[in-house]
Amino acid sequence: MAKIQSAFFDLSTLEALAGNTTAIHRLDPRIKVLTTALFVLAVVSFDKYTISAMLPFGLFLMVIIHAAEIPAGYLGKKLLVVSPFAVMVGIFNPFLDHQPILQLGALTITGGWLSFGSILLRCILTVSAVLVLIATTGFNAVCMAMVKLGMPKIFAVQLLVLYRYIFVLIDEGLSMHRARAQRSFRRQPMGMRTFAHLVGQLLLRTLDRAERIHLAMLCRGFDGTIRIRQVLSITTGDLLALAGCATLFFIMRYYALPELLGRFITGLSS
C-alpha cells in the first residue's frame, strides 16, 4: 500500500509541475502535442537494429527537461516503473535472432541484442516525451488540445475522466488500508480471502463515489466540454518553435549525426 500512496503523490507531482512558468510551459498546448507526436513518430520509425542514431533524440529531451526545470530523478523513477513492460516485449529477441551484426574486438553482437536494446531505448524516449508533455502542459490542457486538433470529444472526455478516477480509486484504497491497519493490532499478513474481500469492497466504494462525483459535475453544469483557465492562442513564436523542432527531427531522423560526428573527429585526428 505504501507503493500506492507513493504513486498517488507522484501523480500529484506531475500535475504540480505543469504549473511552472518556463518558456516550455508557456508554449501553446497544441504546439506541444504536435511536437510530441512528431518526436514519437520519428523515434518509432527507425530500423529495429538502430541504436546510435536515436541518441540525439535523447539529447534533445535532456535539453527540454533542463529548460522546463523538471526533476530528472522523478522522470527516472517513472521510467523504472514502465521498463519491465519493454523488457518483456524484447527479452526473447537475443534467443531468436543470432545473426552477427557488430564486431567489437573479440565480442560479437547479434541482431537479437541490438533489437532488444533498440526496444528499450524507444520505450525510454517515447515515455519520457509523453511525461514531459504532461509535466509541462497538464492533462486537462493536453486533452483540450487534442480536441482542438480534431480528436473526437468523447474520447478526450473518456481519457480525462479515467485519469481523474485514478485519484478516486487510490484515495479509497488508502482509506481502506488505514482502517484495516488500525484494526489489526498484531499486524497479521493479509490472506487471499481478505484481499479478495477488500478488492470487492474497493470496487463498490469506488463506483459509489464515482456516481456521486458525476452527479456533482452535472449539478455544476458539466456538459461534456473540457474547459481550462488558459486561453489557447498560437503565436508566431509557437509556430517557429514547431517548425524548428520539425526540422531538427527531420535532420536527426535522416542523417546519422553520431556517425557523422565520429567521422569528423577521426578525420581530424588522422
Side-chain angles (χ1 to χ4, degrees):
M1 189 59 70
K3 294 181 179 179
I4 296 178
Q5 189 168 6
S6 175
F8 175 76
F9 288 117
D10 279 353
L11 288 174
S12 302
T13 303
L14 199 62
E15 288 294 317
L17 289 172
N20 290 342
T21 57
T22 66
I24 305 298
H25 288 77
R26 290 195 296 270
L27 289 174
D28 187 271
R30 289 166 290 184
I31 297 298
K32 286 184 277 190
V33 169
L34 287 174
T35 304
T36 304
L38 291 175
F39 182 92
V40 172
L41 287 175
V43 169
V44 300
S45 65
F46 278 104
D47 183 76
K48 64 179 181 179
Y49 295 139
T50 301
I51 292 181
S52 62
M54 287 191 284
L55 296 180
F57 287 91
L59 181 62
F60 172 81
L61 270 182
M62 292 172 64
V63 173
I64 296 298
I65 290 171
H66 177 73
E69 299 177 357
I70 301 174
Y74 172 77
L75 291 180
K77 292 178 182 177
K78 298 292 100 183
L79 291 175
L80 286 178
V81 173
V82 300
S83 59
F85 298 99
V87 172
M88 290 299 297
V89 170
I91 189 63
F92 296 107
N93 287 18
F95 304 102
L96 299 176
D97 187 355
H98 300 283
Q99 179 183 1
I101 298 294
L102 186 63
Q103 189 71 37
L104 296 176
L107 180 63
T108 301
I109 300 179
T110 63
W113 284 109
L114 281 181
S115 60
F116 179 51
S118 180
I119 289 173
L120 291 180
L121 186 56
R122 288 167 207 258
C123 175
I124 291 172
L125 293 176
T126 54
V127 173
S128 298
V130 174
L131 289 176
V132 169
L133 171 65
I134 298 176
T136 57
T137 310
F139 200 75
N140 291 357
V142 170
C143 290
M144 186 172 183
M146 288 192 292
V147 171
K148 295 289 184 183
L149 291 172
M151 189 174 109
K153 188 169 66 175
I154 185 64
F155 290 162
V157 173
Q158 290 287 338
L159 282 175
L160 189 63
V161 172
L162 175 64
Y163 183 73
R164 288 304 173 191
Y165 281 176
I166 289 176
F167 289 87
V168 176
L169 178 66
I170 294 175
D171 187 43
E172 290 294 338
L174 288 175
S175 299
M176 294 178 64
H177 171 68
R178 294 192 193 98
R180 179 186 177 278
Q182 291 175 357
R183 290 169 173 80
S184 301
F185 300 103
R186 297 181 180 178
R187 296 184 178 180
Q188 297 177 351
M190 185 186 305
M192 184 57 67
R193 184 176 180 181
T194 304
F195 177 75
H197 177 74
L198 288 177
V199 170
Q201 288 295 323
L202 176 62
L203 176 63
L204 294 176
R205 291 180 59 165
T206 305
L207 289 175
D208 180 63
R209 186 170 172 185
E211 184 178 0
R212 285 189 276 118
I213 292 175
H214 179 64
L215 291 176
M217 292 167 63
L218 295 178
C219 291
R220 289 170 172 80
F222 178 71
D223 57 356
T225 302
I226 303 173
R227 295 181 176 86
I228 60 174
R229 288 182 297 178
Q230 181 182 0
V231 178
L232 299 185
S233 62
I234 297 180
T235 63
T236 305
D238 294 329
L239 295 176
L240 290 176
L242 177 61
C245 290
T247 304
L248 183 61
F249 295 159
F250 179 82
I251 294 174
M252 291 191 297
R253 172 61 183 85
Y254 291 101
Y255 295 92
L257 297 183
E259 183 179 344
L260 294 176
L261 180 62
R263 291 179 180 176
F264 177 74
I265 294 175
T266 54
L268 288 179
S269 60
S270 62

